């Protein structure tokens, strides 16, 4: 399922606080985007314990329990994981990865909050989550009966919110600083091939690995940094992160160049650094430039003039990277009014775009 409307983490948490206590909610989203962490935060907000069940590892008896004979009749004893005395948040993770039989076992639990004769304690909340079929994850078709028992929402990654979270949760400063410069690299769609890809979870893994190697406190061999980055991230992101780490203590950081306190690196051996800076500059343009010329405030005027000058300077060093900076081939397009000014000043730069 790919819903046309998506929510960021803050919006989804607010929605859960208002809806989940009365109706079960199912959260769709790519692997590693933060679904589980969000549900745990929701449980903390409402003051309830969060109990997680992993749908891909369940059998029907793990839900409905096992029968016990009582006199001339029998009754099912629900599992200890579910049968509790106090209200709690029951998180059914990877719900759409379980078998059809397990999905059937969830029907009454999700809709009526009961298993056989056992009812969840008053005030308990049921939330489901799962990956989408396009995520190359293990998913099965969810029955229409199960779909119709829940309200469905789709979670998207939000770099600003993640950076705030990362600063509050001891994420490695290299990772935070990189995502600040390249917020578009926080998440990438899962590839069709078997290779790592960038998600909030994989950046967190890289952060933990960097702390283990005490990166920043001591010089970590470039081979080790490559191993860590390429083992966690989308390959193109890993390469640019390596270029970023080489540049951390260098004067050629993007902010210095924008402030006209430094120049684009010109040495051929710094090609990877130049590529990283050009990509970061493009991301900053996409983020900073207003969509229309009427929205330009006084605080943006100097940045706009400097941006055009930087594109011109970059074109004298590497014409292809300058073209890449203003290109529209990746789906994100610089504002039309800005492109008109670039065409006026540097017509050759955009004639092939």
């Amino acid at each position: 399922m790919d819903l046309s409307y998506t929510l960021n983490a803050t919006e989804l948490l607010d929605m859960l606080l208002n809806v989940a206590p009365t109706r079960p909610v199912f959260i769709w989203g790519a692997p590693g985007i933060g679904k589980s962490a969000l549900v745990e935060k929701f449980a903390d907000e409402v003051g309830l314990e969060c109990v997680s069940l992993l749908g891909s590892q369940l059998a029907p008896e793990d839900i409905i329990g096992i029968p016990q004979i009582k006199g001339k009749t029998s009754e099912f004893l629900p599992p200890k994981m579910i049968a509790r005395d106090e209200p709690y948040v029951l998180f059914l993770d990877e719900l759409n990865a379980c078998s059809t039989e397990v999905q059937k076992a969830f029907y009454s639990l999700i809709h009526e909050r009961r298993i056989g004769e056992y009812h969840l304690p008053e005030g308990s909340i049921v939330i489901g989550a799962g990956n989408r079929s396009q995520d190359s994850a293990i998913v099965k078709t969810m029955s229409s009966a199960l779909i119709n028992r829940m309200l469905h929402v789709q979670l998207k990654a939000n770099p600003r919110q993640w950076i705030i979270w990362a600063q509050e949760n001891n994420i490695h400063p290299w990772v935070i600083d990189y995502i600040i410069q390249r917020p578009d690299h926080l998440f990438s769609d899962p590839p069709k091939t078997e290779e790592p890809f960038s998600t909030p979870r994989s950046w967190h893994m890289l952060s933990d690995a960097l702390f283990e190697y005490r990166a920043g406190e001591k010089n970590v061999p470039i081979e080790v940094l490559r191993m860590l980055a390429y083992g966690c991230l989308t390959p193109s992101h890993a390469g640019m992160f390596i270029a970023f780490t080489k540049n951390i203590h260098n004067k050629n950081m993007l902010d210095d160049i924008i402030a006209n306190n430094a120049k684009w690196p010109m040495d051929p051996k710094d090609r990877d650094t130049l590529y990283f800076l050009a990509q970061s500059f493009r991301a900053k343009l996409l983020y900073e430039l207003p969509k229309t010329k009427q929205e330009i405030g006084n605080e943006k005027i100097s940045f706009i003039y400097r941006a055009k000058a930087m594109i011109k300077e970059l074109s004298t060093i590497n014409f292809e990277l300058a073209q890449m900076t203003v290109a529209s081939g990746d789906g994100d397009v610089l504002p039309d009014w800005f492109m008109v000014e670039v065409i006026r000043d540097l017509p050759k730069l955009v004639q092939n775009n």
Side-chain angles (χ1 to χ4, degrees), residues 40 85 158 311 323 331 348:
E40 291 173 0
D85 297 326
N158 184 286
I311 294 172
Q323 282 187 317
K348 291 183 179 180

Side-chain angles (χ1 to χ4, degrees), residues 321-343:
L321 287 182
Q323 282 187 317
M324 177 200 70
T325 302
V326 299
S328 58
D330 59 0
D332 293 317
V333 182
L334 295 177
D336 291 341
W337 63 265
F338 185 76
M339 290 302 297
V340 168
E341 297 192 14
V342 172
I343 292 171

Side-chain angles (χ1 to χ4, degrees), residues 54-181:
L54 202 58
S56 59
Q57 299 179 3
L58 295 175
E61 56 269 24
D62 295 324
I63 309 301
I64 62 177
I66 58 175
Q68 182 182 56
I69 298 175
K70 280 198 171 183
K72 295 182 179 181
T73 61
S74 66
E75 65 177 358
F76 277 86
L77 295 180
K80 182 179 179 181
M81 193 75 169
I82 295 177
R84 295 168 178 258
D85 297 326
E86 299 296 327
Y88 65 99
V89 174
L90 178 58
F91 178 42
L92 308 176
D93 198 6
E94 297 185 8
L95 178 56
N96 58 335
C98 60
S99 67
T100 302
E101 293 304 314
V102 174
Q103 288 188 30
K104 291 179 182 178
F106 278 125
Y107 284 3
S108 61
L109 179 60
I110 291 173
H111 188 55
E112 301 171 346
R113 301 181 188 180
R114 68 172 179 85
I115 303 172
E117 297 180 2
Y118 170 79
H119 289 259
L120 298 184
E122 186 70 25
S124 295
I125 297 170
V126 179
I127 299 175
N131 303 317
R132 305 162 302 173
S133 58
Q134 65 265 38
D135 294 324
S136 300
I138 299 175
V139 296
K140 294 180 172 64
T141 301
M142 190 182 295
S143 72
S144 58
L146 188 56
I147 289 176
N148 198 238
R149 282 169 161 77
M150 295 174 285
L151 188 153
H152 298 263
V153 293
Q154 183 167 308
L155 177 63
K156 64 178 178 181
N158 184 286
R160 283 188 178 182
Q161 293 176 3
W162 189 86
I163 289 168
I164 293 172
W165 173 87
Q167 291 169 334
E168 295 173 347
N169 286 272
N170 197 35
I171 297 300
H172 198 282
W174 289 3
V175 171
I176 296 175
D177 290 345
Y178 182 83
I179 297 300
I180 288 174
Q181 294 203 38

